Amino acid sequence: MKKNEVASSPVPDHVPPELVRDFSLFTSPGMPPTVNGDPHAAVACVHAGPPIFYAPHNTRDGRGTWVITRARDQRRVLQDTETFSSHRSIFASALGETWPMISLELDPPAHCVFRSLLNPLFSPQRVTALEPAVRERAIALIDRIAASGTSCDVMKDFAFPFAVNIFLRFLGLSDHRLDIFVGWGKDLLHGEPVKRSAAAQKIVSFIDDLAALRRKVPVGDFMTFVVQAKVEGRPLTDKEVRGIGVLVFVAGLDTVAAAIGFDLSYLARNPKDQEWLRSKPERIVLAAEELLRAFPTVQMLRVATKDIDFEGAPIRKGDYISCATMIANRDPAEFACPDTVDLAREENSHSAFANGPHRCLGSHLARREIVIGLEEWLARIPAFRIKEGTAPITHGGHVFGIENLILDWC
Amino acid sequence: MRIIVDKAKCQGHARCWAHAPDVFTLDDEGYILPGDIKVAMGDELLAARGARSCPERALEIDGTAGP
Ligand code: HEM
Ligand code: SF4
């Protein structure tokens, strides 16, 4: 494919050399797995530079992208879907195919049709109804941790089982295959190419089989809703059902777990904030927004549909444009002292869940999970810290994450 | 105080509603209802906070209009 040839080619001719920077969310310092890393701080330094620059190796497969650093400019890109398209087939490309994940890789107007279909299922009102189940799950897991000692690996023992259970339940799946699903997600996001396509293939077959099953025997769950749904007066095609199923499966797999990991890691290292929040649980809702601002996890990529000069940079049709939430959320023009975590920050219009029509469909669910996770953790686990002799390993990439977080308490 | 709603910009973040559910009303999909909002005196603080939390900048505060 031509696109892959572009990948290995040097900086394209239309990019002025003075706009090229040695920067990559995949390979810059702090981006590969790093002991005691702080990948968010590592990227925040771009604010000392220009509003837009070109990074020659800034995708998983080594392609160059423009990098938009200012929050205001990122909004402009993300709100202008006519110029900056989401049509990339990221997932299918791991299989050498080109079907889009729905709604992530569609542009308006098709995007709106599917968002209208899915929005009511993920609305804030609907998520409120799920709250008792989410809380019950958090309590069960934390009580088990508290009963079994004074130390645990937050990622393995709490964050992953919690987040993945909730969203499997949302999809209508039991969690006896939870570990397998988490493994697929890891391979897909962070594995090398062979592992990636194997994982992608497994997820596709799993979703296809599930859809077939729900067609035959409907139950009241998410996939049943999707196979029975109609858009523009017609049922969905098999590819559309797959596009939706795969996206929801992938999107909820490790984003929430990573957020909880970064949050508890911050609190473990900042005992004053930890104690303040424990004594003022009513402040957790706002504090969670600040933690989402300071430790967001997703980089968004767009493709230019036409030539456009953007803040002096010659973007050409087909160029990739990166809008990294971790960069926007540290923009000093929008947040006072952006590198300081201020759990009492009141007005916090961060973009952890994106801007524009692709605003995270699961954002209301994710927020409730994070808040409830923190509430129940702080209520049940006394003053905790990073266990001596252990060190969390963090990484950057397409989705930032934390691999292990071993805490202890007395 | 009045809040000017740019419905076309709303992407359903529901941050406004999270701060002031009595002031901002969402539709079934979780997006704001069209039409500017008159804010009662007692709700002004939370309403302003909600408006300033909108990630899309869809809500503009018009402080000149009385309640
Ligand atoms: C803290 C956790 C999460 C974060 C930080 C996050 C972040 C994001 C971001 C930044 C996007 C925009 C991507 C783009 O436009 O290229 C997005 C899209 C999406 N997210 Fe999330 N997400 C989280 C959790 C979830 C969960 C739990 C679900 C599902 C249950 C979910 C489902 C989706 C879907 C379906 C989209 C595509 C929306 C569209 O394109 O219309 N997310 N998410
Ligand atoms: S915060 Fe903004 S985008 Fe979100 S619902 Fe309110 S008006 Fe819409």
Side-chain angles (χ1 to χ4, degrees):
Chain A
M1 263 184 37
K2 288 216 179 62
K3 276 185 180 156
N4 286 335
E5 286 162 29
V6 175
S8 50
S9 77
V11 176
D13 288 341
H14 66 268
V15 176
E18 70 274 15
L19 287 183
V20 179
R21 289 284 182 290
D22 181 15
F23 172 87
S24 163
L25 285 175
F26 293 81
T27 56
S28 283
M31 297 300 110
T34 305
V35 175
N36 280 324
D38 185 353
H40 299 88
V43 298
C45 62
V46 297
H47 286 292
I52 176 168
F53 61 85
Y54 193 86
H57 304 282
N58 198 32
T59 67
R60 196 189 342 254
D61 46 3
R63 280 188 218 174
T65 78
W66 293 99
V67 176
I68 311 282
T69 64
R70 309 290 186 259
R72 187 179 45 110
D73 293 340
Q74 285 201 10
R75 279 200 295 281
R76 199 177 129 200
V77 168
L78 297 171
Q79 289 172 344
D80 178 2
T81 55
E82 239 171 74
T83 314
F84 302 103
S85 164
S86 289
H87 197 90
R88 302 144 300 177
S89 296
I90 292 178
F91 183 91
S93 70
L95 298 168
E97 298 171 10
T98 54
W99 47 272
M101 282 199 280
I102 297 175
S103 49
L104 184 71
E105 297 177 325
L106 292 181
D107 292 325
H111 177 261
C112 313
V113 172
F114 285 98
R115 275 302 286 246
S116 286
L117 178 71
L118 298 174
N119 273 329
L121 300 183
F122 291 89
S123 72
Q125 300 92 323
R126 186 66 76 91
V127 166
T128 309
L130 290 174
E131 177 156 341
V134 175
R135 194 172 298 279
E136 183 208 324
R137 192 64 211 151
I139 293 175
L141 285 164
I142 300 169
D143 276 351
R144 194 161 74 199
I145 291 169
S148 66
T150 57
S151 172
C152 80
D153 180 349
V154 168
M155 301 317 289
K156 199 159 62 54
D157 300 330
F158 178 52
F160 274 111
F162 174 56
V164 179
N165 170 281
I166 299 305
F167 108 97
L168 289 180
R169 187 190 298 237
F170 183 85
L171 291 182
L173 299 168
S174 80
D175 66 359
H176 71 278
R177 294 217 275 167
L178 189 142
D179 290 341
I180 300 175
F181 293 152
V182 172
W184 292 353
K186 282 217 171 99
D187 285 353
L188 183 72
L189 284 170
H190 312 297
E192 63 276 20
V194 183
K195 273 196 168 172
R196 278 191 66 210
S197 12
Q201 192 57 61
K202 283 182 206 152
I203 295 172
V204 167
S205 328
F206 175 77
I207 294 293
D208 285 354
D209 291 350
L210 184 65
L213 198 70
R214 295 299 189 252
R215 274 211 175 88
K216 251 191 249 146
V217 190
V219 297
D221 67 358
F222 179 76
M223 275 317 270
T224 307
F225 170 86
V226 175
V227 297
Q228 294 181 340
K230 288 202 165 148
V231 293
E232 298 169 328
R234 59 161 180 91
L236 306 191
T237 66
D238 287 351
K239 272 201 177 146
E240 287 167 345
V241 168
R242 171 196 288 180
I244 293 175
V246 166
L247 173 60
V248 171
F249 188 92
V250 176
L253 210 51
D254 72 349
T255 42
V256 175
I260 291 175
F262 281 120
D263 295 357
L264 288 179
S265 160
Y266 172 81
L267 292 175
R269 291 185 164 105
N270 293 273
K272 265 200 199 137
D273 275 359
Q274 183 189 139
E275 207 32 59
W276 181 76
L277 218 46
R278 190 179 276 107
S279 66
K280 292 191 177 4
E282 73 283 0
R283 305 302 297 257
I284 292 178
V285 170
L286 257 193
E289 290 303 313
E290 173 67 349
L291 293 166
L292 277 164
R293 180 195 71 80
F295 308 114
T297 47
V298 178
Q299 160 181 228
M300 284 170 274
L301 278 181
R302 297 293 185 262
V303 188
T305 59
K306 52 177 180 243
D307 296 356
I308 175 175
D309 284 317
F310 196 95
E311 298 291 312
I315 297 180
R316 291 296 163 258
K317 186 175 174 180
D319 283 0
Y320 275 53
I321 296 102
S322 150
C323 292
T325 57
M326 36 302 249
I327 292 178
N329 283 356
R330 303 272 180 134
D331 183 351
E334 304 219 341
F335 303 100
C337 304
D339 296 322
T340 307
V341 175
D342 171 7
L343 295 184
R345 210 183 279 266
E346 295 275 5
E347 285 140 17
N348 209 339
S349 54
H350 66 76
S351 57
F353 293 111
N355 282 121
H358 291 276
R359 188 265 308 162
C360 175
L361 180 64
S363 61
H364 309 303
L365 179 60
R367 281 193 157 102
R368 284 321 291 161
E369 289 180 55
I370 293 169
V371 167
I372 289 171
L374 291 177
E375 283 174 356
E376 298 304 334
W377 185 270
L378 287 167
R380 290 176 154 70
I381 303 290
F384 55 87
R385 53 185 181 187
I386 311 268
K387 185 174 179 171
E388 227 172 281
T390 76
I393 296 173
T394 57
H395 63 79
H398 198 73
V399 179
F400 279 27
I402 179 161
E403 285 170 20
N404 61 313
L405 177 61
I406 307 188
L407 301 181
D408 72 357
W409 53 89
C410 327
Chain B
M1 184 174 99
R2 188 171 64 117
I3 293 183
I4 305 166
V5 175
D6 186 346
K7 163 76 177 156
K9 274 195 175 169
C10 172
Q11 301 295 353
H13 291 262
R15 303 317 301 144
C16 53
W17 175 83
H19 281 278
D22 299 335
V23 176
F24 302 98
T25 314
L26 305 182
D27 63 20
D28 290 345
E29 292 188 33
Y31 291 61
I32 198 152
L33 295 181
D36 297 347
I37 301 166
K38 268 199 169 167
V39 180
M41 201 86 92
D43 292 334
E44 285 193 347
L45 181 69
L46 288 178
R49 239 176 234 166
R52 284 196 213 101
S53 300
C54 174
E56 306 291 344
R57 310 296 193 269
L59 305 172
E60 195 192 320
I61 299 167
D62 176 7
T64 57

